[in-house]
Each structure stands twice: as structure tokens, then as C-alpha cells.
Amino acid sequence: MAQLRTKDLTTLPVGRLGLIPLESCQALGAKVNDWLVKWRNERNHREMDSFAFDGYQRDSFIVGVQNPRFGSGEGKSVVTESVRGDDIYLMVDVCNYSLTYRISGFTNLMSPDDHFQDLKRVIGAIGGKARRVNVIMPYLYESRQSKRVGRESLDCATALQELTSMGVENIITFDAHDARVQNATPLHGFETVQPSYQFIKALLNHEDGLRIDNEHFMIISPDEGSMGRAIYLANILGVDMGMYYKRLDYSRRVNGRHPIAAYEFLGPKLEGKDMILIDDMISSGNTVIETAALLKKRGAGRIYICSTFGLFTDGLEKFDDAYSRGLFDKVLTTNLVYQTPELLEKPYYINCDMSKYIALIIDTLNHDLSVSHLLNPVDRIKNCVNNYMARYNK
């Protein structure tokens, strides 16, 4: 943070900062706003009296926006204050299913499609008056449909092109299911951010006695899709990694998919080792729980399930049962998507707060500076582990 404070005033802000967290992202947006207000009110520089820094220090950077709906279920967006010349950052959580709206007397849960439409409505209400429009979409809309196989829709690429055609200059997401989808908009900014540092920091703050070395610790990928994440984290920590892959039964289909015939493990011996089981999302949870059970059968020690997005689409009962059977020790997910009060109260749950990280990215981009040092957390992870091991060795 000290490094950013000395660098940020070497360039002028792109424009007056404006933060628009949609209703789906208001809790996270409020925390991001608090960090921005705190940092900017602490800064003091002779250039801040110039007109280029007008509105640089404010009590709040949140811009008022309303998204009312008609009785038919159709909606619109209203920006309640001027944003002309501003550098706008829109925040949306397309996975927030806790919100509802009325349609012809019925209550309808908001789907990802509804949230994405509201995002476009706000961009439309801005009407090209802002100097720059940036979208922070932690869970990338339709990211699970990012490639085409046969006669299928290509929804994620289409959504990105819709946003850029409306004037969005930068899209910031977290742990994209397949980062290659950015090729759909090659002339616009696209960043996919990994929360690796936040996972390690939260884990070491909550757990005692871990030994982060190759003899006692390991990183596991539950499938081939997360192997890159596992290799990255294992290389930083200097430990081994292993992977499970699914052997499918291609002779038949169940609910449109080939059923899993068996899980096969690739990797070194893991008996007695503590480990992180890492994936980009927990949807139903079947894969990570099954993998944790197989790891326990092989003699694994403590198991920590880390996932950027905890969707828990089938509820938490299966996790309660798995925890009671000792299949895992903790589940770590971020607050980038909606978290139920029930989840936050679970004894096995650790929440990884991403608000400070998002605020750092916004603050840096507003000064048109490189975010490379924020996207590569190698040094921060190593310092965190070294400090933890120093305390443990005492």
C-alpha cells in the first residue's frame, strides 16, 4: 500500500472517480468505497489543489442509480446525478439470487440474465457522458459457456461484445473459467484476477501449526480444468501438486452428459500431508466432496477447500454431512458473490474479503497506472508464508 501511495500521484486521474455498485453488489461496493474514501482522504500532495484533482477527496464515491421495474416485469435505469467526464466503475454480481421483482402479481427471483440486463441499462442511462466506463464483474457472466462445441451458443463472447459495443473500455473479472474468452474483444481491456494471496492469507490467519514445505504440504486440483491454478500455487509455495481426472463412460448419457466411471489420481504420495484443494467455483459441491473423500482414503491430513466462487447451488447439507464425517477441515470462498447468512455462520467456513484488493485495482486504474504488480502476488504470498513459518518455528 505504501508503494501505491508514492506512485499514484505521479499521474493525473483519468477523471473524477465514480463507483456504481448495482443492487446485487451493494455490500461489497460499500466496503470498496470505504477503502477508497480512507486512502484518498489520507493523501496530501501539492498538486491536489489543481483542477485536475477536483472531487478527488470526497465522503463517498458512490453514484446514485435506481433500477425500477414496471408491473410487466420490464425495467429501466435512472442515474440520479451527473457523471459527465467521470471515470465510472460499475460493479455487478450476476449470481445474486437473493433479489426479487414483481411481474404480473408474481414474485420472480433475479437470474444472471436479469442482472446482466440491469448492467446494460445503467450503461445506457450513462449515455456516453462519462469519460470512461469500466465494468467489474467478479463472476464473469456466462463464463461456463465460453467455447462452442457443435451447434451451441457462444454466450460469454457475445456478452463481452455487447458491453464493448456500448462503450465499456475495461472489463475486470476474477478467476475466469477460461481466460481465452477475452479474445472475443481483442481491442479492449480485460483482466482476470486470481485471489491466490487472499486464500493463503485467510488460511494462515485462521489455522495454526501448518508446515508449508514439500514434506508436509500439497496442492490438489480436483480436475484437469483447475490444474493451472494448482501448478501456479504449488510453484509459489515450493510444494508438490496432484490432480484427479474423471474417467467418463462414453457408451451412455445421463441427463445429457456422459457419467463418471471413476476418479483417477495423478501425483506423488500424499499420506500424512495437509493440502489445499483448489477450484474456481463450488457449484453443487459434488466434485470437491468426492475428491476430498478419495484424498482421505489415501491418508491425507488436513484438507482445505479453496474456491473463488462459492455458489452452493444444492445447499449446504452435503457439506455439513461431509464435515461431520471429517472429509475436510475448512472451506474458503470469497465475498465476490452473494453469501447466505447460513453459510457465514458455518463453523467450517472462512470468508476471504476481496474489497481491499478491488479498491486497489480501481485506485490504480483511475490514475492510468499499470496493475501488473497487483495481478502477480508472488512476493506477497511468500512474505505471508515466511512470517507465518517464523511465528510457528518460535
Side-chain angles (χ1 to χ4, degrees), residues 328-387:
F328 68 88
D329 291 81
K330 298 289 183 182
V331 172
L332 294 86
T333 69
T334 70
N335 61 340
L336 294 172
V337 294
Y338 171 67
Q339 300 165 299
T340 64
E342 179 188 8
L343 173 65
L344 296 173
E345 294 175 357
K346 293 297 181 182
Y348 53 77
Y349 181 67
I350 298 176
N351 177 34
C352 301
D353 185 12
M354 300 296 294
S355 60
K356 186 176 182 181
Y357 197 13
I358 294 174
L360 280 169
I361 293 171
I362 292 174
D363 200 19
T364 305
L365 288 176
N366 181 237
H367 280 275
D368 212 16
L369 291 166
S370 172
V371 294
S372 298
H373 64 290
L374 297 176
L375 302 181
N376 188 8
V378 174
D379 291 337
R380 283 175 289 156
I381 292 175
K382 287 185 176 180
N383 289 337
C384 185
V385 172
N386 290 337
N387 292 336

Side-chain angles (χ1 to χ4, degrees), residues 65-198:
V65 169
Q66 298 174 355
N67 286 296
R69 287 187 179 266
F70 302 101
S72 60
E74 299 166 287
K76 69 175 181 178
S77 178
V78 180
V79 178
T80 60
E81 56 190 276
S82 174
V83 293
R84 186 177 294 277
D86 287 1
D87 187 23
I88 296 294
Y89 292 82
L90 289 142
M91 298 178 62
V92 60
D93 174 13
V94 299
C95 294
N96 191 335
Y97 58 88
S98 69
L99 303 179
T100 62
Y101 62 91
R102 299 287 291 174
I103 175 170
S104 299
F106 296 95
T107 298
N108 197 38
L109 288 174
M110 288 191 70
S111 70
D113 294 342
D114 293 316
H115 290 301
F116 188 68
Q117 285 299 119
D118 275 354
L119 172 66
K120 292 193 294 181
R121 290 185 179 110
V122 176
I123 297 172
I126 291 172
K129 305 299 190 300
R131 181 164 300 173
R132 187 172 68 174
V133 175
N134 312 272
V135 169
I136 298 176
M137 188 186 297
Y139 181 93
L140 186 61
Y141 175 68
E142 289 288 1
S143 60
R144 299 177 79 174
Q145 188 54 29
S146 60
K147 61 183 179 181
R148 174 179 285 157
V149 180
R151 290 185 293 274
E152 293 182 345
S153 57
L154 198 54
D155 298 286
C156 190
T158 302
L160 293 178
Q161 290 182 352
E162 280 189 88
L163 293 179
T164 55
S165 68
M166 295 183 74
V168 174
E169 190 165 330
N170 294 302
I171 298 171
I172 301 162
T173 189
F174 284 77
D175 209 352
H177 198 63
D178 188 341
R180 291 174 294 182
V181 74
Q182 66 187 289
N183 295 330
T185 55
L187 300 181
H188 294 79
F190 183 98
E191 300 290 351
T192 176
V193 186
Q194 297 291 332
S196 306
Y197 169 68
Q198 284 75 17

Side-chain angles (χ1 to χ4, degrees), residues 236-252:
I236 294 175
L237 299 178
V239 300
D240 285 332
M241 67 84 60
M243 183 196 83
Y244 273 94
Y245 73 92
K246 302 169 187 174
R247 185 153 51 85
L248 302 180
D249 182 359
Y250 288 102
S251 65
R252 58 195 182 98

Side-chain angles (χ1 to χ4, degrees), residues 211 215-218 269-275 295-296 298-302:
R211 300 182 65 180
E215 299 297 322
H216 304 91
F217 206 78
M218 204 170 169
K269 291 184 178 181
L270 52 78
E271 288 83 354
K273 291 184 179 180
D274 300 327
M275 56 196 61
L295 290 170
K296 282 295 183 182
R298 288 178 172 267
R302 288 176 284 188

Side-chain angles (χ1 to χ4, degrees), residues 16-19 37 40-41 54-63 81 86:
R16 191 180 69 159
L17 178 60
L19 184 65
V37 170
R40 296 203 166 187
N41 285 336
D54 179 47
Y56 190 80
Q57 294 176 325
R58 306 205 304 272
D59 293 334
S60 176
F61 296 99
I62 294 179
V63 177
E81 56 190 276
D86 287 1

